[in-house]
Amino acid sequence: MVMTPEWVLAICAGVTLAILWTGTVIGAVLWITNRLNEMKAEILADFKAKHQANELTVKALESLVIRHDVILNPEFNGGGGPSAYRKHHPK
């Protein structure tokens, strides 16, 4: 096979096409990876914000439950019955 100018041009065109195609694929992969990392950071920030809000809600509910338990505790004259003081010191 003799290397004619047409073959040289065809080989150069093939190499150029391979380089451009590879560069395009690598660029697309890098862009998609970067975009996914941005989305991941956004999702994690949103998750942390919601987690902090839920944590405040849970702490408030725990405080209310503790107060409710104390109010109903008979030792503190709650709705659970007469207090120990009133049992031993009637009016």
Side-chain angles (χ1 to χ4, degrees), residues 48-64:
K48 286 179 184 177
K50 287 182 181 180
H51 183 70
Q52 289 173 346
N54 286 341
E55 187 176 349
L56 289 174
T57 303
V58 167
K59 285 181 181 178
L61 287 172
E62 286 174 348
S63 175
L64 288 174

Side-chain angles (χ1 to χ4, degrees), residues 3 10 12 17-18 25-26 30 33 37-38 47 49 53-54 56-57 60 64-65 68 73 80 86 89-90:
M3 290 297 284
C12 289
L17 182 63
V25 169
I26 290 172
L30 290 176
T33 303
N37 286 337
E38 290 173 2
F47 176 77
N54 286 341
L56 289 174
T57 303
L64 288 174
V65 167
H68 187 260
N73 191 335
R86 285 196 293 159
H89 299 90

Side-chain angles (χ1 to χ4, degrees), residues 9-75:
L9 286 174
I11 292 172
C12 289
V15 169
T16 302
L17 182 63
I19 291 171
L20 288 174
W21 184 81
T22 304
T24 302
V25 169
I26 290 172
V29 167
L30 290 176
W31 180 80
I32 290 171
T33 303
N34 187 28
R35 184 68 183 129
L36 288 175
N37 286 337
E38 290 173 2
M39 290 172 58
K40 177 182 172 184
E42 185 178 329
I43 290 169
L44 286 176
D46 186 45
F47 176 77
K48 286 179 184 177
K50 287 182 181 180
H51 183 70
Q52 289 173 346
N54 286 341
E55 187 176 349
L56 289 174
T57 303
V58 167
K59 285 181 181 178
L61 287 172
E62 286 174 348
S63 175
L64 288 174
V65 167
I66 290 171
R67 287 181 190 158
H68 187 260
D69 287 344
V70 169
I71 289 170
L72 293 178
N73 191 335
E75 183 179 344

